[in-house]
Amino acid sequence: MSSSDRRRFSSLSSRLLAGVGLVLALFALQVPSAATATGPVDLDGAYIVDRSSVLGSRAGEVQDALDDLSADESVNLFVVYVDSFTGVDDRQAWADDTAIKNDLGVNDVLLAVATDDRLYQVSVDPGFALDDAQLSRLATTSIQPSLRENDWAGAAINTATGLGELLRGDDLSAPVIAPGQETANGSGGGSTVLTWILGGAVVLVAAIVGLVFLRRRTKASAESARSRGSGPSQEDLDRQVGRLLVQLDDATASSEQELGFAIAQFGDDATATFAQTLESAKQKVRESFALKQRLDDSTPDSAEDRRAWSLRIIDLCTKADAELDAQAEAFAALRELEKNPQPALDAIATGVAAARQTAPRAASTLASLTARYEPHALATVIENASQAEKLLSYADATARAVPDLVAAGRASEAAVSIQRAQGAVAQAGVLFSAIDTQATALQSAVASLTSAIGEASSDTAEARALLSTPSGAARGAELSPLIAQLEAAVAQAQTSGPSDPVAALQSLQSANGPLDAALAVEREKAQRLARTQEQLSRTLAAASGTISAVKEYVVTRRGAVSVDARTRIAEAERLLTEAYGLQTTDPERALASATQANRFAQTADQSARIDVDAYSPPSSRGWPDDDGDSAALGGLLGGLFSGGGSTRRSSSGGLFGGSSGWGGSSRSSGSSRSSRSSGSRRSSSSSRSGGRRGSGGRF
């Protein structure tokens, strides 16, 4: 630009600034109010804070929706409308700081909406019942469509409806939307024709003169601000994605070659788990490259999509890297056994001798239990002593055969045999321990059953007394069948309880629950809470004992037990953990969770025993003899010999951490696992304060 051009531009800029100042002054006189920036707010005990004045007459509808959600699901929704989120780095931090400032708990949800910035954010406690994927579906299905149509009240109502549906396990319904005005501040007030004429003229000239000079700078500044506000820039993510993909692709290729050497050296059985791990890593590589192609193609993508895909690639690569490294450690241990087997053989001999010293006491305990309890009560441990002895015999015979294998030059086969013997000794110890665990659980059940019978009898007496009152007589059709059902359960528990206390206790509690719930409306809150806590304590103990027994049964027979039993016991453990977490804050929900945990554990027990009864091993390869015990040992040892894992990283790379013992293959330093850095998994939302989580975005 010449000096004269610069002078003309400077003069014009000065006039433009003066004109803009005049327009701003006129607007300041004409417009009664303007948008206000707001930091994290104090709710002051309110469920709805409307700083933007967008709800108007519909505030009552929003409050009704919030009340319904609280009554139906025991979840409190708080809604905040402000013009802008200020005082923090981003919308997630604003919502989280507001939640923390107001001591929102596990069952409290905050929806924050910046009406002028057109941003929103949902913030929940890390322990909230819905996961991140469900919160994301809630945002895109129930919240965003309402906000895009300026249905401010509808956004809160549809959020409450969607939360209830997700918490009940239902599909999200289509939101009901009533389009509205953009914001209350957006309508202005009392502008004159002169104001608009002057303003329009100045803005038009400014747009023509400034467009060429400011467009690129404004765009670059906006991109830079967005990057700074949400963690690493997209450019940084792109570099990390490219580096991780290249390293992981090289590692899987090298690992696939090394797997072939391992199969040839150690056999299919010893490498089965490692083959599955490699296939899982390859699947993650394929998914990652598909996402990278979407990032690189010519189709325009939103900034949020690009960021989400990049973070997904980093997450997939990091997980696959960890899986490969874990298996590398296991094969390092196997190679160490191949080089120096004697310390492991000495440890096996010591372990077998120690376990056999335990065997008489375990057998005596089992005999005592058999004399006192029905077979059904001992189903998970009745064969443990005999099965443990078979495992110890197997371990002893296998270890004794190792020196001959080494002398014959079959060091790889000897290493696999040592690992199998080690596993058999460890599993025999678990079988012996399970007998003591079951004895303790049965003793506890007997004590709990006595208390439960007394409580049930008290409930039936209370219910019968209630029937003699006018209010109780009106509920006779409801209460009479429940009383009869519980009285029958008490009689059955008194008869069969001493010989099968766990089953009797569970049956009694199932019958007592409905009557207890029916009587709850007639009891004082403090009394009901005390009774619930007492019942919860017994139920937690019963559920814990049942889960422990079933888990030990599954672990020691995992070669025969299918995914169904494992799924049920995992769900039982989750529910039991949930019950313990709610024990002090919400004992009624804790009791429901503990009762469900008991039911899932019983289902897992039945499923596991069916699997074991039906088990047929694929072959007897690797057993010291084939005298008919191969099938039983297959169920006990199956899945045990495919290697273990470790979280320690290998220094050589690949699936098996090196190749010195496998055909001389080597890996270049470019694919060395020790040279790779792990990318941390990040959410697509902004950084989180206070450990909270949520979902949000722009609408």
Side-chain angles (χ1 to χ4, degrees), residues 409-479:
R410 297 158 63 184
S412 298
E413 187 177 345
V416 173
S417 295
I418 290 173
Q419 279 199 337
R420 291 179 174 178
Q422 289 172 328
V425 172
Q427 201 146 312
V430 173
L431 287 169
F432 286 139
S433 176
I435 297 174
D436 291 332
T437 300
Q438 184 67 354
T440 301
L442 289 169
Q443 291 172 0
S444 176
V446 169
S448 296
L449 182 61
T450 301
S451 177
I453 289 174
E455 180 184 316
S457 299
S458 175
D459 283 349
T460 56
E462 181 182 349
R464 289 200 177 279
L466 179 61
L467 288 177
S468 64
T469 66
S471 61
R475 301 177 62 192
E478 172 194 0
L479 294 174

Side-chain angles (χ1 to χ4, degrees), residues 560-578:
V561 177
S562 70
V563 69
D564 290 342
R566 300 167 190 263
T567 302
R568 304 301 173 265
I569 200 63
E571 179 63 5
E573 287 188 287
R574 185 191 70 79
L575 288 166
L576 184 63
T577 300
E578 178 179 274

